Amino acid sequence: MTNNGLKKDVYVWELPVRFFHWVNALCIVVLLATGYFIYNPFLHAPGTEANDYFVMGTARFVHFVTAYVFIANLLFRFYWFFAGNQYAKIKFWKKEWWIGLKDVILFYLFIKKEEPHFTGHNPLAEISYLFFIWVGSFFIILTGLTMQAEIYTTGFLYDITSWFASMMSNSVNTRVLHHMLAWSFVLFIVAHLYTALRHDFLSKSGATSSIITGYKTEETHDADHK
């Protein structure tokens, strides 16, 4: 930690958190690209024999492998929720967290003039990550595994997804839900990039670069809400 006048560098994002972020981002991009191709094959293999090129098969293989990397990465991040520092956690069990959430919402509604200060993510950002990165990921994984299990009527995948397949009534509903969740991730990415860059520009805290270096620049006299 180095002091520079009234500012200091605070180590916020540990290496495992940064590793998760970039692996997760890469997986989402690959999954969206290959998933869209599987849904709408916009590339066509040259020649007359598609099996000589296996474009769709390759896309499906990359999609499946990336999906399992995506799952493993999420499990790793879930573990780091308990093993990591204070910024790796969502402290919704604390009263201060709910007070901070209220203050952030009031600020975004232009009711509160001054933006509440948080060294890590603010509670509203944490809720968005909870719903999109965790709840959204859970259901997009569940629908994806359910569709994969349709190929095999026995085995581990079928055993853990058959209840969900029955609840969805048919595979069409499962696929529609999977696609809707995928598009919600696109919207989340756009919103995430906008808010991160905007916050970094206004606060001058190095929020964007912190996901690479791990450090954010903070005012020494500011109290951390976390």
Side-chain angles (χ1 to χ4, degrees), residues 162-173:
S162 58
W163 65 271
F164 185 73
S166 299
M167 188 174 71
M168 295 301 293
S169 299
N170 56 67
S171 61
V172 174
N173 292 334

Side-chain angles (χ1 to χ4, degrees), residues 87-106:
Y87 306 111
K89 299 171 172 58
I90 302 177
K91 301 178 182 178
F92 53 83
W93 60 84
K94 287 193 172 184
K95 180 181 178 181
E96 293 80 5
W97 187 90
W98 294 98
I99 294 174
L101 175 62
K102 181 197 70 173
D103 290 342
V104 173
I105 292 174
L106 291 177

Side-chain angles (χ1 to χ4, degrees), residues 44-64:
H44 301 282
T48 57
E49 296 297 330
N51 63 334
D52 291 336
Y53 302 94
F54 206 54
V55 177
M56 177 59 75
T58 300
R60 285 171 58 86
F61 175 78
V62 172
H63 192 79
F64 292 157

Side-chain angles (χ1 to χ4, degrees), residues 1-9 217-220:
M1 186 180 298
T2 59
N3 288 321
N4 183 17
L6 296 176
K7 295 180 180 293
K8 64 179 179 179
D9 292 334
T217 303
E218 296 291 315
E219 297 287 346
T220 57

Side-chain angles (χ1 to χ4, degrees), residues 14-199:
E14 298 169 296
L15 180 59
V17 173
R18 301 189 325 261
F19 175 82
F20 161 79
H21 177 275
W22 291 113
V23 172
N24 196 56
L26 179 61
C27 285
I28 289 174
V29 170
V30 173
L31 288 168
L32 288 173
T34 54
Y36 183 76
F37 178 77
I38 294 169
Y39 171 74
N40 179 31
F42 51 87
L43 296 176
H44 301 282
T48 57
E49 296 297 330
N51 63 334
D52 291 336
Y53 302 94
F54 206 54
V55 177
M56 177 59 75
T58 300
R60 285 171 58 86
F61 175 78
V62 172
H63 192 79
F64 292 157
V65 171
T66 306
Y68 283 104
V69 173
F70 179 71
I71 294 171
N73 194 46
L74 282 172
L75 292 175
F76 168 74
R77 180 61 181 88
F78 182 73
Y79 161 75
W80 202 253
F81 175 86
F82 302 98
N85 64 14
Q86 60 175 322
Y87 306 111
K89 299 171 172 58
I90 302 177
K91 301 178 182 178
F92 53 83
W93 60 84
K94 287 193 172 184
K95 180 181 178 181
E96 293 80 5
W97 187 90
W98 294 98
I99 294 174
L101 175 62
K102 181 197 70 173
D103 290 342
V104 173
I105 292 174
L106 291 177
F107 171 76
Y108 280 110
L109 291 176
F110 302 102
I111 297 174
K112 192 178 180 69
K113 293 183 178 180
E114 185 176 350
E115 182 177 7
H117 171 263
F118 296 89
T119 301
H121 291 308
N122 68 59
L124 189 60
E126 290 178 336
I127 284 183
S128 69
Y129 298 147
L130 176 64
F131 278 99
F132 283 96
I133 300 301
W134 293 104
V135 178
S137 294
F138 173 79
F139 281 103
I140 205 167
I141 290 169
L142 182 58
T143 52
L145 293 178
T146 301
M147 288 189 291
Q148 188 178 7
E150 291 175 356
I151 304 172
Y152 312 99
T153 57
T154 58
F156 178 70
L157 264 186
Y158 181 80
D159 291 338
I160 65 173
T161 61
S162 58
W163 65 271
F164 185 73
S166 299
M167 188 174 71
M168 295 301 293
S169 299
N170 56 67
S171 61
V172 174
N173 292 334
T174 306
R175 293 173 189 277
V176 169
L177 179 57
H178 192 74
H179 294 158
M180 290 175 61
L181 290 167
W183 282 111
S184 73
F185 270 79
V186 174
L187 296 177
F188 170 76
I189 291 171
V190 173
H192 175 62
L193 290 174
Y194 168 73
T195 55
L197 292 173
R198 177 182 179 274
H199 175 73

